[in-house]
């Protein structure tokens, strides 16, 4: 099935960052607040957010779990005598080098890809109390990112710069900077915007620039801070490492919950009524939540008709709004044919999560999950929809 006769557009690819991806270009006056790495006595790397330890990922900058090996790793972690060497390998050149990655993409049949960070999407939560630290680090990272991978490199690699809505004025300044450098998609963390809805009119100067430039926003799964914000009230740990979250935390405070809250806020708070050309992409949040979200929004939109409307009252069903402005990149193991039926073939995009352990070792195998769909719909999912997001349809 995955030999379709055309090249793909992978909407969820990743790179592995070097130790100095934040610190290399940090403004010297913010050097003490930089995200940086130290080597501990046990010869393991430790990531620091300024003076605070980063707890979400146990980052190894020289090795990674093999692509597609997550299940093998999780089974092994509970087995006596398990050694991480069974699933871990040294970083391959194509994970850290742009030209090597292009060569690999050619072999994989990938024409273009959105390339997301591994570490970078997980750090914002740990800088939420310091505006200067936040934007100094994001700007430094974006400088490194454009130099190393490219916001738009040869119409093949689109590496979304990292942005934050912690401060609207600073967010606009960074957005202007990355747009001037040719960014065709940008990245925001799912979840509330530090005491506001991300669709609050307070942020309209930010959204207006994206609307005018026809640049979409990717909401990639991230450390959205829900464990610290809510799971502690159920007796759970506030900031556990990613793969040491409890089953309850995985179910209720990571993944589905932040993206559902975000998408509902964008629809109910009328972001797309104010900015009709704006599109958003849900990346690596899966799709199990989609049918439920569509139905509960439509029901509760009626229940709340006499309540406040932060961005102005919406004039149609919220599900209809999202079916025009939302693109979903599902997990490869989910019922993607059903998702196409729910959202329409025009709103689903292929994402392999390569080279991460939870993704596909061979990205093109994603197409196997589309068996039974008409050829034109498969082509939309595997290629055309993402091309449209970057203005190449």
């Amino acid at each position: 099935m995955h030999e379709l006769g055309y090249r793909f557009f992978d909407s969820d690819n990743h790179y592995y960052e070097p130790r100095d991806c934040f610190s290399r270009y940090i403004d010297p006056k913010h050097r003490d607040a930089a995200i940086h790495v130290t080597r501990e006595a046990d010869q393991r790397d430790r990531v620091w957010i300024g003076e605070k330890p980063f707890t979400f990922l146990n980052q190894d900058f020289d090795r990674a779990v093999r692509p597609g090996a997550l299940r093998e790793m999780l089974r092994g972690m509970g087995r006596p005598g398990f050694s991480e060497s069974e699933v871990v390998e040294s970083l391959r050149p194509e994970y850290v080098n742009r030209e090597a990655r292009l060569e690999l993409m050619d072999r994989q049949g990938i024409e273009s890809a959105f390339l997301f960070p591994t570490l970078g999407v997980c750090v914002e939560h740990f800088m939420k109390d310091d505006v200067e630290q936040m934007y100094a680090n994001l700007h430094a990272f974006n400088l490194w990112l454009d130099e190393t991978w490219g916001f738009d490199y040869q119409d093949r690699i689109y590496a979304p710069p990292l942005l934050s809505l912690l401060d609207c004025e600073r967010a606009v300044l960074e957005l202007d900077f990355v747009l001037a450098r040719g960014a065709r998609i940008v990245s925001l963390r799912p979840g509330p915007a530090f005491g506001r809805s991300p669709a609050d009119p307070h942020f309209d100067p930010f959204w207006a620039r994206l609307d005018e430039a026809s640049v979409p926003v990717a909401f990639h799964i991230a450390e959205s801070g829900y464990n610290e914000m809510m799971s502690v009230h159920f007796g759970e740990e506030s900031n556990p490492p990613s793969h040491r979250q409890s089953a309850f935390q995985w179910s209720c405070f990571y993944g589905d919950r932040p993206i559902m809250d975000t998408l509902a806020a964008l629809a109910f708070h009328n972001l797309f009524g104010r900015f009709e050309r704006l599109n958003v992409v849900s990346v690596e949040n899966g799709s199990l939540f989609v049918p439920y979200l569509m139905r509960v929004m439509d029901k509760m939109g009626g229940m709340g008709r006499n309540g406040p409307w932060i961005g102005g009252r919406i004039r149609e069903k919220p599900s209809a709004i999202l079916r025009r402005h939302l693109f979903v990149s599902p997990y490869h193991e989910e019922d993607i044919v059903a998702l196409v039926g729910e959202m329409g073939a025009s709103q689903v995009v292929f994402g392999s999560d390569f080279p991460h352990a939870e993704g596909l070792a061979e990205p093109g195998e994603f197409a196997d999950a589309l068996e039974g769909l008409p050829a034109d719909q498969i082509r939309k999912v595997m290629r055309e929809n993402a091309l449209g997001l970057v203005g190449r349809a």
Side-chain angles (χ1 to χ4, degrees), residues 35-237:
I35 299 172
H36 63 284
V37 180
T38 59
R39 181 59 65 96
E40 301 300 291
D42 61 2
Q43 298 304 305
R44 291 180 178 270
D45 288 322
R46 187 169 190 179
V47 179
W48 297 84
I49 313 289
E51 297 179 349
K52 297 183 296 185
F54 173 68
T55 58
F56 192 65
L57 298 177
N58 295 317
Q59 193 75 12
D60 188 325
F61 292 89
D62 301 308
R63 304 179 306 157
V65 179
R66 295 192 315 271
L70 176 67
R71 290 176 179 83
E72 181 182 352
M73 179 184 73
L74 292 177
R75 287 194 299 267
M77 288 170 66
R79 172 168 52 82
F82 171 73
S83 170
E84 64 177 19
S85 64
E86 298 175 36
V87 294
V88 170
E89 64 179 7
S90 297
L91 292 186
R92 305 176 195 174
E94 52 264 33
Y95 301 166
V96 297
N97 178 274
R98 181 168 63 188
E99 298 306 321
R101 187 55 162 266
L102 288 176
E103 292 177 6
L104 176 64
M105 289 166 60
D106 287 338
R107 296 195 298 271
Q108 293 174 327
I110 296 174
E111 177 178 332
S112 303
F114 296 147
L115 254 66
F116 290 92
T118 298
L119 169 67
V121 292
C122 299
V123 299
E124 182 177 354
H125 168 63
F126 297 89
M127 299 185 287
K128 64 183 184 299
D129 299 319
D130 192 328
V131 170
E132 294 300 322
Q133 181 184 45
M134 177 78 78
Y135 290 97
N137 276 282
L138 294 186
H139 184 66
F141 181 88
N142 290 336
L143 284 169
W144 168 84
L145 179 62
D146 194 30
E147 175 188 86
T148 306
W149 291 100
F151 297 153
D152 177 359
Y153 185 67
Q154 298 182 355
D155 277 339
R156 299 202 63 193
I157 289 176
Y158 300 94
L162 300 182
L163 301 174
S164 171
L165 294 177
L166 179 60
D167 180 274
C168 184
E169 183 177 344
R170 298 293 292 274
V172 167
L173 287 174
E174 190 63 20
L175 176 58
D176 286 344
F177 169 76
V178 300
L179 291 178
R181 286 197 168 207
R184 296 303 307 146
I185 184 170
V186 300
S187 179
L188 283 177
R189 183 185 70 156
F194 309 96
R196 297 180 188 266
S197 163
D200 191 304
H202 173 77
F203 298 113
D204 278 3
F206 177 86
W207 295 113
R209 283 163 168 78
L210 292 167
D211 184 70
E212 181 179 3
S214 296
V215 169
V217 173
F219 288 99
H220 190 285
I221 195 170
E223 166 53 300
S224 291
Y226 276 50
N227 283 326
E228 181 179 309
M229 183 166 46
M230 288 182 286
S231 82
V232 292
H233 298 291
F234 292 86
E236 297 279 350
E237 186 179 346

Side-chain angles (χ1 to χ4, degrees), residues 7 17-18 26 90 128 162 203 214 259 287 340:
R7 295 196 295 172
E17 301 97 315
I26 196 81
S90 297
K128 64 183 184 299
L162 300 182
F203 298 113
S214 296
I259 193 63
S287 63
V340 169

Side-chain angles (χ1 to χ4, degrees), residues 1-4 6-11 287 328-352 360 363-386:
M1 265 291 292
H2 58 272
E3 296 179 358
L4 298 175
Y6 50 84
R7 295 196 295 172
F8 314 137
F9 193 128
D10 194 334
S11 296
S287 63
V328 178
S329 178
Y331 294 132
H332 65 90
E333 70 270 20
E334 295 174 338
D335 189 342
I336 303 171
V337 173
L339 177 65
V340 169
E342 181 72 43
M343 292 292 295
S346 64
Q347 305 306 122
V348 179
V349 291
F350 147 56
S352 70
L360 287 165
E365 292 179 357
F366 184 96
D368 294 344
L370 305 179
E371 189 170 3
L373 291 177
D376 64 322
Q377 293 189 8
I378 294 175
R379 187 180 178 101
K380 286 181 178 180
V381 173
M382 296 298 294
R383 175 181 171 86
E384 302 300 327
N385 294 339

